[in-house]
Amino acid sequence: MRPGLTAKLALAVFVPTLATLATLPGGALFAAEPPCRICAGVLVDDPFVAATAVEAAPRLEKEAVFFVAWDAPLDGTASPAAAHRLAAAGARPWIRLLFSTPAPLLDHLDALQHEVDAAVELARLSPPQTHYEVVWQGEGGSPIEPRGHAFLVKRVAVALTGAQPEARVFAHPLPGDSAGLALWYGEGVSAYIDGVAVAPADDPALAATLADLAGLDPGRTVALAALELPADARLGVAEVARRATSGIGITFLRSAAPTATDLAPFKVFANELRGEVEPDPGTTPPGGTAWSFVRGED
């Protein structure tokens, strides 16, 4: 039930006035557990550099959701230290687990188990709220065979949540065509994951993928990884809002070494849009291109 436009307009994101984000009224973005409907993140090369930027003002408030993602090789060198520092600063660590066991996986189970063990050890030592994305590099070929990828995702998800029950597991369902997605989901992978990641594509192609996912796995959180961070980071916030209205729950922006200035608009965004907030396609505020959101209590 929506009693009026006031609460909805307070959560509208306007392209021409993104500088005023800091003046928006406070509220409760998603309290962090999936599904995440309107969340932002940054994909970085060095999570320690990102942690320094996250620690700067403005600080992330309790229950604000802002992800920092980075790649972790599974050769025993990955450390949980960055994840702990980011969590202490209020961010949500998102570790992309890079599996390199070649296909077919069933012919390389010893190598796979070695990588699974490394992932489990990393999860065991990382903060409970850490999110993990299962990335299968295989032999570098494309497309990756969907049944093999599904087997990997299920095995890794069971191992990670066994070591850290609060871990959240995402997967990139490859290939991204309708037949490949149907085959991937046909392996029963949905019961093992908290969400899926999709790669950037033009709007029609991405809309088709989202439609396929909505039919195969209704309500599942979808992460988009990753768009390039604009020179004016406030425009990145607008892109997060735009993507949220199309069904993307988490939009990642890529920046090798984001600064405190780069991340400030996203932290304000995360602080202001806490709680049960979702897109409101029924309201289009005046004053330029805009996207409206409404709180659950409205």
Side-chain angles (χ1 to χ4, degrees):
M1 301 293 293
R2 304 172 195 162
L5 298 181
T6 303
K8 293 185 282 188
L9 294 180
L11 292 173
V13 178
F14 293 85
V15 171
T17 58
L18 283 172
T20 66
L21 271 173
T23 66
L24 290 175
L29 199 251
F30 281 85
E33 301 303 333
C36 196
R37 294 287 301 278
I38 314 170
C39 294
V42 60
L43 176 59
V44 303
D45 288 349
D46 186 337
F48 289 100
V49 172
T52 299
V54 172
E55 289 165 346
R59 300 283 295 184
L60 285 164
E61 299 175 7
K62 185 178 181 181
E63 295 186 350
V65 182
F66 178 67
F67 294 99
V68 176
W70 69 98
D71 292 345
L74 298 174
D75 56 4
T77 63
S79 168
H84 281 282
R85 185 173 166 189
L86 286 162
R92 298 300 173 108
W94 180 294
I95 303 178
R96 301 180 77 244
L97 302 170
L98 305 183
F99 285 84
S100 59
T101 302
L105 291 177
L106 293 179
D107 290 349
H108 302 90
L109 289 179
D110 288 343
L112 175 59
Q113 189 59 48
H114 180 77
E115 292 190 319
V116 171
D117 290 343
V120 166
E121 182 66 5
L122 183 60
R124 186 181 69 81
L125 298 174
S126 295
Q129 66 267 44
T130 302
H131 289 51
Y132 301 89
E133 183 179 346
V134 180
V135 180
W136 185 27
Q137 299 175 311
E139 296 175 314
S142 180
I144 293 176
E145 199 280 309
R147 286 196 175 93
H149 185 253
F151 170 80
L152 173 65
V153 169
K154 292 189 289 184
R155 182 161 183 168
V156 173
V158 169
L160 290 179
T161 54
Q164 179 51 267
E166 295 184 48
R168 296 292 179 260
V169 181
F170 276 64
H172 196 313
L174 299 172
D177 61 278
S178 297
L181 283 173
L183 187 59
W184 190 78
Y185 270 105
E187 295 298 305
V189 73
S190 180
Y192 295 80
I193 58 174
D194 295 284
V196 294
V198 295
D202 59 55
D203 285 353
L206 187 56
T209 297
L210 292 174
D212 287 336
L213 289 171
L216 292 164
D217 200 359
R220 187 70 63 186
T221 301
V222 179
L224 177 65
L227 307 171
E228 291 300 319
L229 180 69
D232 183 343
R234 294 172 299 173
L235 298 179
V237 173
E239 190 63 20
V240 173
R242 184 175 81 87
R243 298 290 180 171
T245 63
S246 70
I248 299 294
I250 308 168
T251 298
F252 282 95
L253 288 299
R254 184 188 302 277
S255 176
T259 66
T261 300
D262 290 332
L263 298 191
F266 295 99
K267 290 188 286 181
V268 172
F269 184 82
N271 287 340
E272 297 296 344
L273 294 182
R274 292 170 296 159
E276 294 187 14
V277 181
E278 61 183 79
D280 178 27
T283 300
T284 303
T289 302
W291 305 272
S292 184
F293 304 93
V294 63
R295 296 197 185 283
E297 59 264 31
D298 297 327

